[in-house]
């Protein structure tokens, strides 16, 4: 994710290195916030808050943990706090579907519905299950990295993932039978 030399330079007070570091991770931070909060404005707010916290706390980072795990912990904690403070809201922004002439329109439409069904199912999960699903499958963190990020025992992470996958399977059962809820 980020070069260790850049992190050390930022920690030693090199402002340009710190700005470069923040720019390198801002998309990753936003993407995590968006997947957890499922709302663009909330994700932007959480990402900004996370970047400010990283900016002010960079000296507290120790190389005992991976930098991406440290960043994920900050972003995830901010999202969880934000989620607890506010009621979840549904974004009314819909992405326009643009079809290319050479693509199969039916496939594009079905893919969009599948993605929406999956996102809707993830959003229906309890907060702790949604968070581990996002970190594991959308951010590609290992079980150990998730445990570090969320400050949970490894077996708890495994249990949350197992239960979350079961819940997703139940929620998506309608789709698996051939029906699309879109």
């Amino acid at each position: 994710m980020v070069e260790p030399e850049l992190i050390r330079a930022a920690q030693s007070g090199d402002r340009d290195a710190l700005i470069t570091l923040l720019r390198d991770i801002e998309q990753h931070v936003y993407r995590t916030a968006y997947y957890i909060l499922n709302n663009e404005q909330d994700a932007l707010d959480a990402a900004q808050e996370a970047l400010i916290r990283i900016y002010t706390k960079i000296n507290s980072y120790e190389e005992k943990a991976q930098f991406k795990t440290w960043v994920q912990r900050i972003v995830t904690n901010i999202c969880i706090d934000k989620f607890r403070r506010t009621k979840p809201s549904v974004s009314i922004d819909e992405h326009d579907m643009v079809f290319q002439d050479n693509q199969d329109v039916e496939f594009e439409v079905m893919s969009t519905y599948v993605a929406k069904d999956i996102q809707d199912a993830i959003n229906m999960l309890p907060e702790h299950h949604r968070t581990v699903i996002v970190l594991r499958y959308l951010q590609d963190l290992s079980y150990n990295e998730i445990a570090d990020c969320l400050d949970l025992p490894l077996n708890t992470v495994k249990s949350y993932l197992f239960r979350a996958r079961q819940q997703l399977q139940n929620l998506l059962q309608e789709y698996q039978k051939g029906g699309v809820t879109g």
Side-chain angles (χ1 to χ4, degrees):
M1 181 178 181
V2 176
E3 295 296 322
E5 298 82 29
L6 185 62
I7 298 166
R8 283 189 218 102
Q11 287 178 314
S12 69
D14 183 341
R15 185 182 157 122
D16 290 336
L18 183 54
I19 290 170
T20 301
L21 176 69
L22 293 173
R23 284 189 178 138
D24 285 352
I25 64 171
E26 69 183 335
Q27 284 298 96
H28 178 74
V29 167
Y30 169 77
R31 193 169 38 248
T32 298
Y34 183 79
Y35 284 130
I36 292 173
L37 298 170
N38 193 38
N39 176 292
E40 184 177 358
Q41 192 59 48
D42 289 344
L44 287 169
D45 291 346
Q48 181 178 12
E49 188 177 336
L51 291 169
I52 290 169
R53 190 165 303 165
I54 292 164
Y55 177 85
T56 59
K57 302 286 186 185
I58 189 70
N59 287 327
S60 70
Y61 168 69
E62 299 174 1
E63 292 186 30
K64 295 175 187 171
Q66 289 187 18
F67 185 72
K68 75 175 185 176
T69 303
W70 184 74
V71 168
Q72 285 293 99
R73 175 180 275 185
I74 290 171
V75 144
T76 303
N77 287 340
I78 288 170
C79 289
I80 289 170
D81 289 344
K82 190 169 195 53
F83 188 77
R84 287 179 181 156
R85 283 192 308 262
T86 60
K87 300 260 190 235
S89 61
V90 177
S91 173
I92 59 171
D93 295 331
E94 291 293 326
H95 296 3
D96 293 333
M97 294 191 314
V98 178
F99 302 111
Q100 302 297 326
D101 290 337
N102 60 351
Q103 292 183 338
D104 183 2
V105 173
E106 183 179 355
F107 176 78
E108 289 293 320
V109 169
M110 292 308 294
S111 295
T112 301
Y113 282 129
V114 169
K116 184 175 179 347
D117 286 348
I118 292 170
Q119 185 64 49
D120 289 347
I122 290 171
N123 290 336
M124 293 170 77
L125 294 174
E127 170 192 329
H128 56 285
H129 288 167
R130 177 181 24 212
T131 301
V132 295
I133 288 290
V134 166
L135 295 175
R136 177 69 184 123
Y137 296 106
L138 301 175
Q139 295 300 330
D140 201 29
L141 267 62
S142 71
Y143 287 19
N144 287 327
E145 290 170 330
I146 296 169
D148 288 344
C149 180
L150 298 177
D151 198 24
L152 292 172
L154 181 60
N155 285 336
T156 301
V157 169
K158 289 178 181 179
S159 173
Y160 283 0
L161 280 167
F162 177 78
R163 289 188 186 121
R165 285 190 297 259
Q166 281 184 320
Q167 288 175 325
L168 282 174
Q169 185 175 13
N170 290 338
L171 291 168
L172 293 169
Q173 206 165 27
E174 195 61 33
Y175 173 76
Q176 292 171 346
K177 291 178 182 175
V180 176
T181 62

